[in-house]
Every structure is written in C-alpha cells, then in structure tokens.
C-alpha cells in the first residue's frame, strides 16, 4: 500500500484543511445556494443511479479522468469539491494514507488491538462493535475536515504462510473465521441504513469499507521475490475454498462498498487487469454494489514492473475493461485521455467507472448539502477517544490474549503472594510496538510495566535487551537475571515488532529474534518464583524451548494488543480477566520453513514431493501449537443437546426431476457421490446444533465453541477436501458452575460442501462427522428427489 509515487501537480487535493479549532466541514457538493443546487444530481428525491448519471453526463472528459484517481480533483463550476479516497481504519482510524491527518481537535483516535489478536477472541459481536466505534471516530474526523469517508479496510487475505509480514493485519488462516470477521467488521464500519424507495435500492452508509487485497496476496518480499513481480500460481480449487472465501463473505454478507485488487498476478494475469475476477466474480457473481480500487500504483506496477502491456494506454484499457473503477495513483489521470484518442477505451468505459464511485459518495451523503442536516452531522471531537471506546479497546485486548501454557495452575498470580515482580524483556515498556502496523496515533498508552505495577507493591524493571532485535554482545541480560533472583515472580515480555515483520518485510525465521531466547532461558534458570513468558507478535513463533522448560510456568500470546495492551496483560496475569482467546493460526516449528517455500501457493500437501501443505486444514505435521489452541483458568465441558442424525438435500428446477444431477467420482476404488451446490435448494438448508457448555471450574469464564466438519472419507479422497474444516463458532460467557446453551445453524451449502479440483462446489452425500471439543456426531446427508 505504501509504494505511492509523487502525484501530478494538477491532482493536488482540493479540500480545504481544517483549522486547529473545530469547524464544520463545508459541504462537499450541492451546498445551499451553490451553482448546482437545482440540478438533478442534487435532488435527494431521485434514485442515486439517476443522480450519478446526471452528474457524469455534465462532466467533460478531462474532468471525468481526474475522478479516476484517489486524490480526485474538484469540479468548481458544479460546486463539487476535491476528495481524497485513501483513508485507513484497519483497527482504528489510521494516518497511514493521506486522507487522515491528526492534529488540532483530533490529536489521536482509539487504537484497538491489531486484527490478528482481535481474531483470537473468536467473538463476532466484538468485531462489529469495534467497527462501529471506529466508524464513529472516522465520521467525526470527516466532519472536522481530518479524514475521508472511504476507509480501505479490512485486510481479509488468508494468513497462508507464517513468515508473511502482513499476516498481523488479517483474521488468520481459516476461511470461515476470516469471512465472518470481514462481514462483521464491514457491517460495523458501514452501518447501512435506509435503502429502497427513492434511493433506487441502494442503502445509505455511515462510512464505506473496502476489503483487500483480492486475491491470493500473501507474499511481500521473500528470498528475492517481491509482491510487485510475483505470479501466484493458484488452482481453481484453492481459489474457491480458501483464498476467495473471505472476499465473497465481505461482499455478499457484509455488503462492502468496495474491493481492492492486489499487486501480484494470479496465474499470469495481474489481478487489477483480470476481467474474470473483477467483472466476472466480484461484480457479477457476488453482485458488488460499489467500486473496485487498485492497490496503490498497481496499474503502474503491472505496466512498468511486470511488463504486462506494451504501452501505457494498453494498461489503461486492460484495467478499465477488466472492471477497475478507481486507481490509487496517478496512472489513469495521466494516460486515459490518450487511450481514448487511440480508441483503446471509450467514454462509456470511463463513465461506468466514475458512476460507480459517485454512487458510493452519494450513499455517504456527500451530495446532500449541509452536513449538519445529515444523520451523522453531529459527530465531532467529543466522539473520538471516548471513555466507552477506550474501555472497548481494553476489553478487546483482554479477549485477544491466548493462554498457551499454565503448568501447575501457576497463573493467575496473587498480588498478596507475589508482592515483588520482576518485569523484564524488550517489550516491558512497549508503546508503539503494541499497535502494530496500519495504526494511527492512540489516545494514550498503558505499558505492560505500568499495568503490572498497578497490581504489585514493587515492580523491578530491566529491559534485558537494548531493543527487540536483541543482537550483539552488549545486551543487559545479567541485570534482568539479577532482578529475577530478587523477585517473587518474573514476567518476561519478548517477541517481534515492525522491524522484524511488516509490510514489505517477510520473516526468514520463526525463532525469537537475536538473543531473546537466551534472555528467557537465563531469567528462568535464575528466578526464585514462577516465570511468566508474554509474547507480542503478529505471526507465530517457535517457542519449543520455552514450552519444555519446567521453570517457565505460564506462557501468554498477546498479539499486538493496542493502546491498552499493558493493562490487559496485567489483568490476565493477576486474574482480573480469565483468558479465553484461541490461536487463529497454526504455530509451526522452525523446520517447517525448509519444506514450504513462500512462493508455493498450494494449500494441499504433496507427500510425494515432500511438501507439507498449509494451515490446520491440510497440514498434519508437528506443531508448536495447533490452530484453535487456548487455555482458561477454568474448565468447560460440552454436551450435545440437539442435532439431527440425517438431512435431505432438495434439488432445484429441472435438476430435481432426475438422478442425473448426482455425480459419482471413483478414487482408488472408492466411490463418492455428491450434488453440485448450484443444483441444490440452499435457502434454509441448515443443520441446527444445540450445545450445552458447562463451566466445571471455580472461576467465571468465556468459552468459544468450535464446530468442525469432516466430509465422508470417499469424498475427501476423491476431491482432496480438508480432513476437517471449521464450520461454526460462538463465544459464550459461563459463570462458575453454570451451564449455557449455544445454538448454531450450520449452513450445508457453505459449510458442508467441498470444492472439487475444478473449483466447483459440491455437497457430498453420505455421513459427515461433526466435532465439538470432546464430542463427535454424525449427520447423514441424502438427496430428496422432487418433481419439477
């Protein structure tokens, strides 16, 4: 996203900067008494598409071309201001892009945990609540002239490889979790309202979200290959059941206003020039109501770096005809008129793109005149960094923490017993490191040292390393060891930061950096009391040495926990909060890296070539910790209260008249029978599962019920289906000794279908197995033949 070159002078943003004192933003367009107030595009009674078409019809070609780029020029003669489309809000309003400028009445915004941590909560309600809070703050900053309304978030790429520097931005490795996160966060950000009637079927939006980066983008820079030159060779099967799943959920379930195409090629075609992806899938099959934007300079990248087209004008034609509506970068502003002159694109191509972006602006109320008269016009500085939002950031951080080890129930520590605690390690006083990347300026920080200090009489602090890299012979390990000798308990805070994993920076190792492991082991050996290891990272870390060290009693993974991370870590360590997070990615051992080049996009294992496969769905080798691992200070049991033993799939239309709709595939002598999802009546086709969760411990706690499905063995073999796949999850709070019933509906067409090798979704007929904790349950799917 940051490879953004200097824009042309003619494209300088034409939005007046806000004064340091709070002032209402001037109307973007259709201002009372302005030059266009009486024109159809300003009439709120008309359908939005009619209004957009009216505006576009009034523009010259030159004016329209300057609307094809992120810093769109104004049209003063029609009273339309310039607009910067690029704002970010991955886990809080961020000034990563030029659309957001902190200062004056808006010195900062609430910094929630980095997404990989929030995903560990497995709490979809929390995800939407965070989105709503960010939406409040983003809209308030727009009103104050400090942000746009189009936020290019969330990042829902699959965290396929543990080395990926941007995996921290994503909800993890599982398509179902990533898809549900995408829809929940988008709903929170956008908060759609209205729709139908005079809006022409379009809902109005509080802000506009954007799901990125479509598709199969999960390599930044590794072993001589970078994202600007990488051709991701991906099978139709992996696209269908892994890489595209979150984007489909984002558009179909979340109704996102935008999708961003990526830098890389997929099977030899740049994603931003792939008509089958942009027009065929996103706008066609998924029915996107919004705009498609390039990652920044992607069009120039596929021309200049990938040499995909011969001329600049050919690149314009390739991307506009593929379905791109907006270029983050100057390329389309520079070369589109030339492409028209050479008859490589038409005015109709330009009109279609501009119409799509203008409709989104209209859905945001930008063509409705005075902000004060609009639903969110009242939002201002008092709605940013509110106590409620900061409390939510703290609660999100608590729910993000995963308890990986708790030998002998050493945790939680007791302040009355552990009065003097050594707080050591390079993250003991973490601030900026806690917010990860694509972050803004937080309302304030609570460091781990500060958080722990609130619970104990004396906190003995020693960094143990000069920085997170912890390299060289002058590391102050001895001072940390001495502190551990004198303390009743020791908390060691280590991990990664943005100098080790980041955009443009993939890792080469899964081990702790530099001499961090040496620090941990030395402190553990010398400590007289329990040692608690706290890890901050986005990606997984091989901590086998700590898992097996009996002197290390407890291990916590905190992700990058946001502005309140230090308080949340302390609350978990001292038992104010009972941890309930679970890992959203597999933690692999270091030697996994030798078997899986980042450039190999295959999800499925290939034993003949020594390729181990990826993620819990296809990798069956040893792990440091498996996907979904996470302990609690209490214990939960499951009882299956309700689930059917069999279910019939009905077929649709002419497919229902004959058994020819059934497909039989034979693999190694085993026959598998299935039905195409496109032939099934999917509406209402679900398996209702009720699970009673009992807290059999002595502490209140939250528990995530994870439901995995395994297809019939013959179908798994015939189609290379995952051995198991997460199909549902719910978070529930259960008091000590209490029971809570969790009711879930398993969507058969989505959750129990498999993608064949051609990328066709099929529902296997036969016995499917459901696994819920210690429970297993079989459901037999049959086919009900109906007449036409």
């Amino acid at each position: 996203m940051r490879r953004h070159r200097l824009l042309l002078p003619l494209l300088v943003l034409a939005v007046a900067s806000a004064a340091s004192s709070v002032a209402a933003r001037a109307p973007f367009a259709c201002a009372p008494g302005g030059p266009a107030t009486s024109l159809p595009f300003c009439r709120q009674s008309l359908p939005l598409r009619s209004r957009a078409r009216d505006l576009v019809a009034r523009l010259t070609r030159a004016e329209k071309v300057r609307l094809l780029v992120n810093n769109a020029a104004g049209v003063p003669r029609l009273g339309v201001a310039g607009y910067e489309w690029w704002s970010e809000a991955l886990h809080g309003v961020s000034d990563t892009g030029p659309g957001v400028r902190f200062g004056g009445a808006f010195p900062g915004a609430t910094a929630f945990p980095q997404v990989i941590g929030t995903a560990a909560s497995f709490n979809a309600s929390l995800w939407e609540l965070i989105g709503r809070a960010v939406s409040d703050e983003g809209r308030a900053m727009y009103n104050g002239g400090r942000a746009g309304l189009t936020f290019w978030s969330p990042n829902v790429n699959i965290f396929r490889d543990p080395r990926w520097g941007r995996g921290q931005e994503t909800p993890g490795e599982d398509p179902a979790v990533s898809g549900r996160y995408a829809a929940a966060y988008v709903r929170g950000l956008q908060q759609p309202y209205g729709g139908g009637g005079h809006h022409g079927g379009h809902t109005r939006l509080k802000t506009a979200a954007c799901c990125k980066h479509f598709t199969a983008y999960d390599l930044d820079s590794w072993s001589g290959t970078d994202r600007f030159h990488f051709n991701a060779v991906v099978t139709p099967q992996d696209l269908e059941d892994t890489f595209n799943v979150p984007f489909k959920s984002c558009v179909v379930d979340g109704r996102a206003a935008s999708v961003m195409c990526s830098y890389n090629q997929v099977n030899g075609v740049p994603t931003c020039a792939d008509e089958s992806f942009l027009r065929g899938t996103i706008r066609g099959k998924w029915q996107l109501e919004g705009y498609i934007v390039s990652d920044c300079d992607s069009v120039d990248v596929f021309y200049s770096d990938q040499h995909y087209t011969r001329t600049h004008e050919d690149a314009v034609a390739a991307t506009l005809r593929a379905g791109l509506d907006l270029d983050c970068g100057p390329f389309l502003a520079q070369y589109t008129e030339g492409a028209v002159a050479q008859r490589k694109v038409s005015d109709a191509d330009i009109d279609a793109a501009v119409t799509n972006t203008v409709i989104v602006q209209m859905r945001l109320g930008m063509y409705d005149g005075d902000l004060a008269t609009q639903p969110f016009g009242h939002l201002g500085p008092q709605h940013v960094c509110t106590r409620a939002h900061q409390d939510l950031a703290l609660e999100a951080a608590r729910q993000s923490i995963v308890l990986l080890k708790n030998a002998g129930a050493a945790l939680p520590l007791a302040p009355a017993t552990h009065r003097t605690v050594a707080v050591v390690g390079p993250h003991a006083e973490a601030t900026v490191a806690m917010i990860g990347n694509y972050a803004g300026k937080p309302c304030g920080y609570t460091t781990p040292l500060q958080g722990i200090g609130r619970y104990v009489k004396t906190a003995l602090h020693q960094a143990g390393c000069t920085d997170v890299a912890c390299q060289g012979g002058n590391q102050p390990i001895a001072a940390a060891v001495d502190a551990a000798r004198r303390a009743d308990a020791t908390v060691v805070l280590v991990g990664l930061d943005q100098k080790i994993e980041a955009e443009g920076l993939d890792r080469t190792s899964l081990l702790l950096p530099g001499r961090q492991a040496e620090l941990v082991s030395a402190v553990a050996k010398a400590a007289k009391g329990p040692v608690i290891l706290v890890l901050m990272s986005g990606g997984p870390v091989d901590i086998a040495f700590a898992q097996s060290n009996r002197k290390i009693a407890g291990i916590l993974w905190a992700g990058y926990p946001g502005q309140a991370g230090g308080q949340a870590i302390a609350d978990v360590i001292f038992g104010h909060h009972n941890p309930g997070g679970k890992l959203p990615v597999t933690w692999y051992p270091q030697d996994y890296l030798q078997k899986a080049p980042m450039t190999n996009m295959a999800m499925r294992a290939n034993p003949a070539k020594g390729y181990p496969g990826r993620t819990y769905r296809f990798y069956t080798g040893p792990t440091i910790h498996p996907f979904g691992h996470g302990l609690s200070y209490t214990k939960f049991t499951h009882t299956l209260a309700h689930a059917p033993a069999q279910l019939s799939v009905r077929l649709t239309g002419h497919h229902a008249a004959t058994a020819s709709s059934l497909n039989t595939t034979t693999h190694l002598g085993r026959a598998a029978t299935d039905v195409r999802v496109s032939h099934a009546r999917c509406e209402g086709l679900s398996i209702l599962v009720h699970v009673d969760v009992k807290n059999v411990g002595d502490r209140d706690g939250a528990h995530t019920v994870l439901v995995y499905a395994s297809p019939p063995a013959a179908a798994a073999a015939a189609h290379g289906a995952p051995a198991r796949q997460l199909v549902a999850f719910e978070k529930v709070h259960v008091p000590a000794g209490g029971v809570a019933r969790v009711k879930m509906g398993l969507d058969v067409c989505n959750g129990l279908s498999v993608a064949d090798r051609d990328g066709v979704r099929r529902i296997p007929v036969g016995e499917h197995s459901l696994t819920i904790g210690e429970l297993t349950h079989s459901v037999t799917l049959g086919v009900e033949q109906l007449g036409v």
Side-chain angles (χ1 to χ4, degrees):
M1 180 67 79
R2 292 174 182 163
R3 189 180 189 248
H4 201 57
R5 295 171 182 160
L6 188 63
L7 301 185
L8 297 175
L10 63 86
L11 297 177
V12 172
L13 181 64
V15 178
S17 61
S20 59
S21 60
V22 184
R25 177 191 283 269
F28 171 78
C30 303
T37 307
S38 62
L39 297 179
F41 71 82
C42 288
R43 294 179 194 164
Q44 297 181 40
S45 60
L46 295 177
L48 296 187
R49 185 164 292 277
S50 298
R51 294 174 65 187
R53 286 174 173 167
D54 177 74
L55 171 64
V56 172
R58 297 175 187 277
L59 301 175
T60 66
R61 182 185 297 160
E63 288 170 336
K64 286 184 283 191
V65 164
R66 294 175 192 178
L67 298 181
L68 293 174
V69 290
N70 63 288
N71 57 345
V75 187
R77 67 183 181 85
L78 293 176
V80 178
Y83 180 67
E84 175 55 71
W85 285 84
W86 181 5
S87 292
E88 300 277 358
L90 183 70
H91 52 111
V93 179
S94 165
D95 55 355
T96 300
V100 173
R101 295 168 296 113
F102 289 111
F106 299 94
T110 309
F112 292 91
Q114 180 59 290
V115 176
I116 191 67
T118 308
S121 73
F122 281 80
N123 187 343
S125 299
L126 176 67
W127 301 336
E128 185 166 344
L129 285 173
I130 292 173
R132 295 177 72 89
V134 174
S135 182
D136 276 354
E137 299 195 357
R139 189 83 196 204
M141 290 187 67
Y142 173 78
N143 292 347
R146 291 284 178 171
L149 288 176
T150 46
F151 291 98
W152 292 350
S153 305
N155 179 344
V156 295
N157 292 116
I158 294 295
F159 197 167
R160 171 187 64 96
D161 189 287
R163 291 162 286 201
W164 188 30
R166 301 189 72 178
Q168 60 181 293
E169 302 173 30
T170 77
E173 71 181 36
D174 181 73
V177 174
S178 298
R180 194 164 171 196
Y181 178 89
Y185 191 68
V186 166
R187 279 193 297 266
L189 272 183
Q190 296 192 156
Q191 293 179 51
Y193 65 99
H198 65 266
H199 297 313
H202 295 285
T203 57
R204 291 301 189 106
L205 302 172
K206 185 177 178 183
T207 65
C210 173
C211 288
K212 61 187 185 184
H213 314 77
F214 189 86
T215 183
Y217 166 59
D218 49 25
L219 178 152
D220 269 54
S221 181
W222 177 81
S223 192
T225 300
D226 66 44
R227 57 184 175 167
F228 306 122
H229 300 87
F230 181 50
N231 175 29
V233 178
V234 187
T235 66
Q237 186 176 37
D238 284 344
L239 281 173
E240 173 62 31
D241 74 1
T242 300
F243 296 111
N244 287 356
V245 172
F247 291 96
K248 180 179 180 181
S249 181
C250 206
V251 175
V252 175
D253 302 324
R255 311 305 301 172
S258 178
V259 173
M260 176 182 287
C261 51
S262 56
Y263 290 117
N264 57 290
Q265 297 184 356
V266 172
N267 299 327
V269 181
T271 62
C272 292
D274 193 320
E275 184 173 0
S276 67
F277 278 163
L278 307 191
R279 290 195 190 277
T281 299
I282 298 172
R283 199 172 291 285
K285 293 179 183 177
W286 299 344
Q287 296 290 295
L288 172 73
E289 293 183 6
Y291 69 99
I292 299 174
V293 61
S294 74
D295 203 341
C296 293
D297 290 317
S298 283
V299 181
D300 184 55
V301 163
F302 77 66
Y303 169 72
S304 298
D305 297 334
Q306 298 173 6
H307 309 295
Y308 182 71
T309 62
R310 187 176 61 85
T311 68
H312 296 97
E313 292 76 19
D314 288 336
V316 171
T319 199
L320 285 180
R321 290 183 175 174
L324 190 77
D325 301 307
L326 187 71
D327 175 21
C328 179
F331 198 94
L332 292 187
Q334 292 172 303
Y335 301 112
T336 298
E337 289 190 85
V340 175
Q342 295 177 29
R343 297 186 177 181
K344 293 183 176 180
V345 297
S346 67
D347 285 306
D349 295 323
I350 301 170
D351 290 354
V354 175
T355 298
N356 286 334
T357 56
V358 168
I359 287 176
V360 170
Q361 289 179 317
M362 289 180 169
R363 293 173 69 190
L364 291 163
M366 294 172 65
Y367 284 81
D368 293 345
D370 188 0
L371 280 172
T373 65
Q374 297 183 37
F376 307 108
H378 66 287
L379 295 174
Q382 71 274 24
H383 297 98
V384 180
C385 287
T386 63
R387 176 42 50 198
H389 290 176
Q390 294 194 62
D391 287 347
L392 182 63
L394 173 57
E395 179 59 25
R398 290 168 175 156
Q399 292 195 29
S400 298
I401 293 172
V402 181
L403 178 60
L404 300 176
K405 176 183 178 181
N406 193 16
L411 285 169
L413 300 182
T417 305
H418 307 101
R419 296 166 61 83
T420 298
V421 174
V423 184
V424 305
H427 278 317
E429 292 190 289
T431 54
V432 174
M434 293 195 300
I435 60 176
N437 70 351
Y438 279 80
K441 292 180 172 56
C443 314
Y445 290 106
T446 301
T447 70
L449 179 61
Q450 290 170 333
I452 293 168
R454 293 170 182 171
Y455 280 96
V456 301
K457 180 179 179 181
T458 304
L460 304 176
H461 172 240
Q462 291 292 337
C465 296
T466 55
D467 57 15
V468 174
C470 201
Q471 294 178 333
N474 62 339
Q475 302 302 318
I477 294 175
V481 168
D482 182 64
R485 286 196 183 102
R486 295 185 287 122
D488 300 320
T490 300
V491 179
V492 190
L493 296 112
V494 298
L496 314 178
D497 66 5
Q498 301 307 302
K499 293 181 180 179
I500 295 166
E501 57 173 355
E503 182 171 12
L505 180 62
D506 297 327
R507 285 190 287 164
T508 58
S509 170
L510 300 184
L511 302 177
L512 286 172
R515 299 176 63 188
Q516 283 192 23
E518 180 185 342
L519 166 68
V520 173
S521 296
V523 165
K525 183 177 180 179
K528 71 173 185 180
V531 176
I532 310 303
L533 177 62
V534 179
L535 299 160
M536 283 194 203
S537 72
V541 182
D542 182 341
I543 52 164
F545 80 97
Q547 283 293 136
S548 61
N549 189 328
R550 294 183 179 181
K551 292 292 297 289
I552 299 174
I555 304 177
L556 299 171
W557 177 68
Y560 293 123
Q563 66 177 47
Q567 186 62 52
I569 290 167
D571 288 346
V572 169
I573 289 174
F574 289 96
H576 180 73
H577 177 81
N578 187 353
K582 294 185 180 295
L583 292 178
V585 291
T586 301
W587 282 35
Y588 303 91
Q590 170 73 5
D591 64 4
Y592 173 84
L593 304 187
Q594 311 309 315
K595 306 169 188 175
M598 277 194 80
T599 48
N600 188 332
M601 298 295 294
M603 296 300 299
R604 288 153 171 83
N606 187 338
K609 294 186 177 181
Y611 181 68
R614 297 185 181 276
T615 78
Y616 80 93
R617 296 162 63 231
F618 302 107
Y619 171 72
T620 58
T623 64
I624 303 301
H625 289 296
F627 171 89
H629 174 67
L631 306 175
S632 171
Y633 295 156
T634 187
K635 184 178 179 181
F636 300 95
T637 61
H638 307 86
T639 304
L640 190 63
H642 170 79
Q646 56 187 19
L647 187 71
S648 293
V649 178
R650 295 185 176 185
L651 304 182
T652 61
H654 66 278
H655 302 295
T658 172
S660 63
S661 295
L662 297 178
N663 174 70
T664 300
T665 304
T666 302
H667 180 76
L668 299 178
R670 304 176 72 179
T673 302
D674 55 62
V675 177
R676 282 193 181 216
V677 167
S678 60
H679 296 172
R681 295 188 179 184
C682 292
E683 185 176 355
L685 185 60
S686 65
I687 297 172
L688 298 180
V689 176
H690 298 176
V691 179
D692 287 339
V693 179
K694 184 174 183 180
N695 184 341
V696 296
D698 59 2
R699 287 179 177 268
D700 298 352
H703 178 64
T704 299
V705 179
L706 302 174
V707 182
Y708 294 93
S710 299
H719 299 304
R724 63 182 184 126
Q725 165 74 54
L726 187 67
V727 292
F729 61 91
E730 291 295 336
K731 192 74 169 276
V732 61
H733 187 271
V734 189
V739 178
R741 177 160 294 184
V742 179
K743 300 180 180 180
M744 293 168 285
L746 313 186
D747 186 313
V748 171
C749 290
N750 282 329
L752 298 190
S753 67
V754 300
D756 68 16
R757 288 176 171 81
D758 295 320
V760 176
R761 283 276 181 182
R762 299 181 179 276
I763 303 171
V765 175
E767 185 177 296
H768 293 248
S769 178
L770 304 180
T771 302
I772 308 165
E774 67 277 18
L775 302 176
T776 57
H777 176 75
S778 294
V779 179
T780 299
L781 295 183
V783 177
E784 181 176 336
Q785 296 291 326
L786 298 176
V788 178

